[in-house]
PDB file of all heavy atoms in Angstrom:
ATOM      1  N   GLN A 172      -0.313 -10.802   5.986  1.00 88.00           N
ATOM      2  CA  GLN A 172       0.926  -9.960   5.938  1.00 88.00           C
ATOM      3  C   GLN A 172       0.643  -8.541   5.305  1.00 88.00           C
ATOM      4  O   GLN A 172       1.134  -7.603   5.616  1.00 88.00           O
ATOM      5  CB  GLN A 172       1.974 -10.631   5.255  1.00 88.00           C
ATOM      6  CG  GLN A 172       2.385 -11.786   5.858  1.00 88.00           C
ATOM      7  CD  GLN A 172       3.052 -11.462   7.197  1.00 88.00           C
ATOM      8  OE1 GLN A 172       3.707 -10.425   7.499  1.00 88.00           O
ATOM      9  NE2 GLN A 172       2.894 -12.365   8.290  1.00 88.00           N
ATOM     10  N   THR A 173      -0.347  -8.515   4.311  1.00 85.00           N
ATOM     11  CA  THR A 173      -0.597  -7.321   3.530  1.00 85.00           C
ATOM     12  C   THR A 173      -2.138  -7.211   3.236  1.00 85.00           C
ATOM     13  O   THR A 173      -2.666  -8.120   2.627  1.00 85.00           O
ATOM     14  CB  THR A 173       0.135  -7.353   2.145  1.00 85.00           C
ATOM     15  OG1 THR A 173       1.489  -7.386   2.287  1.00 85.00           O
ATOM     16  CG2 THR A 173      -0.130  -6.036   1.322  1.00 85.00           C
ATOM     17  N   LEU A 174      -2.710  -6.281   3.950  1.00 78.00           N
ATOM     18  CA  LEU A 174      -4.144  -6.133   3.932  1.00 78.00           C
ATOM     19  C   LEU A 174      -4.460  -4.971   3.068  1.00 78.00           C
ATOM     20  O   LEU A 174      -4.264  -3.727   3.434  1.00 78.00           O
ATOM     21  CB  LEU A 174      -4.683  -5.907   5.266  1.00 78.00           C
ATOM     22  CG  LEU A 174      -6.127  -5.806   5.416  1.00 78.00           C
ATOM     23  CD1 LEU A 174      -6.905  -7.112   4.841  1.00 78.00           C
ATOM     24  CD2 LEU A 174      -6.557  -5.617   6.838  1.00 78.00           C
ATOM     25  N   ILE A 175      -5.013  -5.134   1.875  1.00 79.00           N
ATOM     26  CA  ILE A 175      -5.436  -4.079   0.989  1.00 79.00           C
ATOM     27  C   ILE A 175      -6.760  -3.602   1.509  1.00 79.00           C
ATOM     28  O   ILE A 175      -7.635  -4.368   1.982  1.00 79.00           O
ATOM     29  CB  ILE A 175      -5.757  -4.581  -0.421  1.00 79.00           C
ATOM     30  CG1 ILE A 175      -4.372  -5.269  -1.079  1.00 79.00           C
ATOM     31  CG2 ILE A 175      -6.224  -3.435  -1.358  1.00 79.00           C
ATOM     32  CD1 ILE A 175      -3.198  -4.303  -1.153  1.00 79.00           C
ATOM     33  N   LEU A 176      -6.976  -2.224   1.605  1.00 76.00           N
ATOM     34  CA  LEU A 176      -8.013  -1.585   2.256  1.00 76.00           C
ATOM     35  C   LEU A 176      -9.071  -1.049   1.383  1.00 76.00           C
ATOM     36  O   LEU A 176     -10.127  -0.495   1.646  1.00 76.00           O
ATOM     37  CB  LEU A 176      -7.523  -0.409   3.243  1.00 76.00           C
ATOM     38  CG  LEU A 176      -6.561  -0.974   4.243  1.00 76.00           C
ATOM     39  CD1 LEU A 176      -6.041   0.129   5.024  1.00 76.00           C
ATOM     40  CD2 LEU A 176      -7.183  -1.978   5.166  1.00 76.00           C
ATOM     41  N   MET A 177      -9.000  -1.468   0.015  1.00 73.00           N
ATOM     42  CA  MET A 177     -10.096  -1.198  -0.929  1.00 73.00           C
ATOM     43  C   MET A 177     -10.412  -2.259  -1.847  1.00 73.00           C
ATOM     44  O   MET A 177      -9.484  -2.754  -2.453  1.00 73.00           O
ATOM     45  CB  MET A 177      -9.577   0.010  -1.860  1.00 73.00           C
ATOM     46  CG  MET A 177      -9.294   1.405  -1.109  1.00 73.00           C
ATOM     47  SD  MET A 177     -10.682   2.196  -0.778  1.00 73.00           S
ATOM     48  CE  MET A 177     -10.709   3.479  -2.057  1.00 73.00           C
ATOM     49  N   PRO A 178     -11.515  -2.795  -1.805  1.00 66.00           N
ATOM     50  CA  PRO A 178     -12.671  -2.547  -0.866  1.00 66.00           C
ATOM     51  C   PRO A 178     -12.368  -2.725   0.568  1.00 66.00           C
ATOM     52  O   PRO A 178     -11.407  -3.512   0.839  1.00 66.00           O
ATOM     53  CB  PRO A 178     -13.750  -3.412  -1.467  1.00 66.00           C
ATOM     54  CG  PRO A 178     -13.156  -4.544  -2.073  1.00 66.00           C
ATOM     55  CD  PRO A 178     -11.762  -4.052  -2.533  1.00 66.00           C
ATOM     56  N   PRO A 179     -13.096  -2.328   1.564  1.00 69.00           N
ATOM     57  CA  PRO A 179     -12.920  -2.408   2.859  1.00 69.00           C
ATOM     58  C   PRO A 179     -12.785  -3.924   3.237  1.00 69.00           C
ATOM     59  O   PRO A 179     -13.533  -4.736   2.601  1.00 69.00           O
ATOM     60  CB  PRO A 179     -14.198  -1.783   3.464  1.00 69.00           C
ATOM     61  CG  PRO A 179     -14.677  -0.874   2.556  1.00 69.00           C
ATOM     62  CD  PRO A 179     -14.407  -1.461   1.184  1.00 69.00           C
ATOM     63  N   PRO A 180     -12.052  -4.248   4.243  1.00 69.00           N
ATOM     64  CA  PRO A 180     -11.764  -5.605   4.585  1.00 69.00           C
ATOM     65  C   PRO A 180     -13.093  -6.511   4.933  1.00 69.00           C
ATOM     66  O   PRO A 180     -13.109  -7.639   4.518  1.00 69.00           O
ATOM     67  CB  PRO A 180     -10.951  -5.568   5.883  1.00 69.00           C
ATOM     68  CG  PRO A 180     -10.111  -4.287   5.644  1.00 69.00           C
ATOM     69  CD  PRO A 180     -11.083  -3.255   4.982  1.00 69.00           C
ATOM     70  N   LEU A 181     -14.057  -5.759   5.452  1.00 71.00           N
ATOM     71  CA  LEU A 181     -15.210  -6.590   5.859  1.00 71.00           C
ATOM     72  C   LEU A 181     -15.955  -6.971   4.432  1.00 71.00           C
ATOM     73  O   LEU A 181     -16.404  -8.201   4.385  1.00 71.00           O
ATOM     74  CB  LEU A 181     -16.204  -5.618   6.587  1.00 71.00           C
ATOM     75  CG  LEU A 181     -17.686  -6.227   6.928  1.00 71.00           C
ATOM     76  CD1 LEU A 181     -17.538  -7.485   7.662  1.00 71.00           C
ATOM     77  CD2 LEU A 181     -18.527  -5.245   7.628  1.00 71.00           C
ATOM     78  N   VAL A 182     -15.928  -6.092   3.551  1.00 71.00           N
ATOM     79  CA  VAL A 182     -16.496  -6.444   2.204  1.00 71.00           C
ATOM     80  C   VAL A 182     -15.725  -7.562   1.564  1.00 71.00           C
ATOM     81  O   VAL A 182     -16.300  -8.516   1.007  1.00 71.00           O
ATOM     82  CB  VAL A 182     -16.583  -5.275   1.253  1.00 71.00           C
ATOM     83  CG1 VAL A 182     -17.024  -5.630  -0.188  1.00 71.00           C
ATOM     84  CG2 VAL A 182     -17.479  -4.234   1.783  1.00 71.00           C
ATOM     85  N   GLN A 183     -14.285  -7.449   1.582  1.00 65.00           N
ATOM     86  CA  GLN A 183     -13.522  -8.617   1.172  1.00 65.00           C
ATOM     87  C   GLN A 183     -13.830  -9.918   1.764  1.00 65.00           C
ATOM     88  O   GLN A 183     -13.954 -11.029   1.120  1.00 65.00           O
ATOM     89  CB  GLN A 183     -12.089  -8.177   1.452  1.00 65.00           C
ATOM     90  CG  GLN A 183     -11.562  -7.152   0.601  1.00 65.00           C
ATOM     91  CD  GLN A 183     -10.101  -6.771   0.845  1.00 65.00           C
ATOM     92  OE1 GLN A 183      -9.288  -7.770   0.924  1.00 65.00           O
ATOM     93  NE2 GLN A 183      -9.797  -5.623   0.918  1.00 65.00           N
ATOM     94  N   ARG A 184     -14.069  -9.893   3.084  1.00 69.00           N
ATOM     95  CA  ARG A 184     -14.276 -11.129   3.815  1.00 69.00           C
ATOM     96  C   ARG A 184     -15.693 -11.719   3.436  1.00 69.00           C
ATOM     97  O   ARG A 184     -15.848 -12.947   3.225  1.00 69.00           O
ATOM     98  CB  ARG A 184     -14.307 -10.889   5.353  1.00 69.00           C
ATOM     99  CG  ARG A 184     -12.894 -10.854   5.884  1.00 69.00           C
ATOM    100  CD  ARG A 184     -12.917 -10.892   7.358  1.00 69.00           C
ATOM    101  NE  ARG A 184     -11.697 -10.234   8.041  1.00 69.00           N
ATOM    102  CZ  ARG A 184     -11.783  -8.972   8.198  1.00 69.00           C
ATOM    103  NH1 ARG A 184     -12.685  -8.137   8.205  1.00 69.00           N
ATOM    104  NH2 ARG A 184     -10.487  -8.457   8.650  1.00 69.00           N
ATOM    105  N   LEU A 185     -16.679 -10.784   3.200  1.00 68.00           N
ATOM    106  CA  LEU A 185     -17.990 -11.331   2.806  1.00 68.00           C
ATOM    107  C   LEU A 185     -17.917 -11.980   1.435  1.00 68.00           C
ATOM    108  O   LEU A 185     -18.650 -13.019   1.142  1.00 68.00           O
ATOM    109  CB  LEU A 185     -19.009 -10.187   2.913  1.00 68.00           C
ATOM    110  CG  LEU A 185     -19.372  -9.605   4.216  1.00 68.00           C
ATOM    111  CD1 LEU A 185     -20.182  -8.423   4.054  1.00 68.00           C
ATOM    112  CD2 LEU A 185     -20.158 -10.683   4.938  1.00 68.00           C
ATOM    113  N   LEU A 186     -17.107 -11.383   0.529  1.00 65.00           N
ATOM    114  CA  LEU A 186     -16.993 -11.859  -0.808  1.00 65.00           C
ATOM    115  C   LEU A 186     -16.088 -13.126  -0.895  1.00 65.00           C
ATOM    116  O   LEU A 186     -16.344 -13.904  -1.811  1.00 65.00           O
ATOM    117  CB  LEU A 186     -16.514 -10.866  -1.712  1.00 65.00           C
ATOM    118  CG  LEU A 186     -17.413  -9.672  -1.945  1.00 65.00           C
ATOM    119  CD1 LEU A 186     -16.726  -8.492  -2.783  1.00 65.00           C
ATOM    120  CD2 LEU A 186     -18.691  -9.979  -2.643  1.00 65.00           C
TER     121      LEU A 186
END
Side-chain angles (χ1 to χ4, degrees):
Q172 296 296 325
T173 301
L174 182 61
I175 301 297
L176 301 173
M177 297 281 259
L181 177 60
V182 172
Q183 292 180 42
R184 280 189 208 94
L185 291 172
L186 295 173

